[in-house]
Amino acid sequence: MAIVPRTCLLMLIYPSISWATDTTSLISDLLVGYQRVVRPNLINPVNLTYGLALYQLVEFDVKAETTSLLLWQRTKWFDDRLRWNPEEYGNITDTRLEVLQIWIPDLMPYNDVGSFDPAKYAKLIPVQINYRGEVNWLTPVVIETTCKMDVTEFPFDEHQCEILFGSWQYSAQEVDVICEHDHMDLTSFTPNSQWDVIGTSCERKHDVFVSGEFSYLLFSIIYRRLSEFYVKNVILPNSVLLALSSLVFFLPNGVSDRAGFGITVTLALCVNLMVVTEYIPETSKTFPALCNYFLASIFLSAMSIVVSIVTLRISAANHKPHRPSQSNYSLDTQSTNADTSCNAVRSLDDIYLTTKSDWAKKTDILDASLGFLYLAVTSCFSVVYIYFIYA
């Protein structure tokens, strides 16, 4: 009775043992005499199909003009030395080998700034091979590449960053690189809180360098900055501060801190400009139009202080007019009596008060007119500069 279970157990285990034996034999036979430093095809170029899937934008450093990306690489080529007949190896149609056992193309980004490490996953991720000699290698990689920035339209700017992938030592006559698709795969892309990817592309290129003609792929990624944060925290506060600077004309002439209020607003506008410069590269080739708006705002605020001081000076000078000499209006003391002299003095006081009241009204009207004019100019300036330029 115990023979039947043992027989059934052997029947279940035997296929697994047979498959392991066939796989071991297959790998041993494939690697006999295999030289991993020799290209799969010594007569014609090795055609490499290369594709990228963008998984995450790790860092977008605008000041350093670099981008750091987490990518999934998909590389495919044919190696005739890795063909076999499935019928001779238990109908095995595909298997896996270690990267260090076979020839691997030396694809790398030409514009990398030092973080690319192709050997990081070499011992962890094997290559997949089928019986036709087709080799597939799927690996993640983190790269940091250069990217030219144009911040003229900050914070509504768009940037096109490029990644150049190609063989470092094999010329176009030895290795030819082909795009898997005309775009990058964004299926698994993790959205970024500051940037949005609006388009990608892949283009095959040939260039002649000092060591010969090389084939490489040009991957392009177009980023658009998410501007809501800057609109709410930078642009709108600047517009409000610029409008507040008009209040220096509406403060009473007797207020001693009238100019101080204007200086405080101007300093706040300067701080706003310093905040913006933290997000742009330190270069003179491109300058954000928004910074021009901030500089113009500072200039207008400074002009409001100057005009306010001038009107304050005029008001102070005319609120204390020189009292006319009483001798010009007095009568001859020898030919007038005391009542006539008192009437003359009273008329001088009336002239003084009337002159003071007239100048106070004129300066108040002047301040109010300048205030409304300044408010209209700054409001129109903000609307035109922000809306029509960035619309």
Side-chain angles (χ1 to χ4, degrees), residues 62 154-157 193-195 225-238 272 275-276 278-279 290 294:
V62 179
F154 173 88
F156 307 97
D157 47 340
S193 60
Q194 299 182 16
W195 297 90
R225 190 192 300 268
L226 301 178
S227 58
E228 184 177 359
F229 170 83
Y230 303 97
V231 171
K232 292 182 178 180
N233 294 277
V234 178
I235 298 179
L236 291 182
N238 188 89
N272 227 18
V275 171
V276 175
E278 293 294 327
Y279 298 95
L290 184 64
F294 285 169

Side-chain angles (χ1 to χ4, degrees), residues 15-36:
S16 299
I17 298 175
S18 177
W19 181 86
T21 303
D22 293 336
T23 303
T24 302
S25 300
L26 173 61
I27 294 175
S28 299
D29 293 343
L30 291 176
L31 297 179
V32 171
Y34 190 97
Q35 296 293 329
R36 60 184 304 269

Side-chain angles (χ1 to χ4, degrees), residues 4 9 34 40 88 100 135 144 187 195 200-201 239 298 319 327:
V4 176
L9 183 60
Y34 190 97
E88 298 178 359
L100 300 179
V135 184
E144 184 178 2
T187 305
W195 297 90
T200 63
S201 64
S239 302
I298 295 172
H319 273 59
S327 62

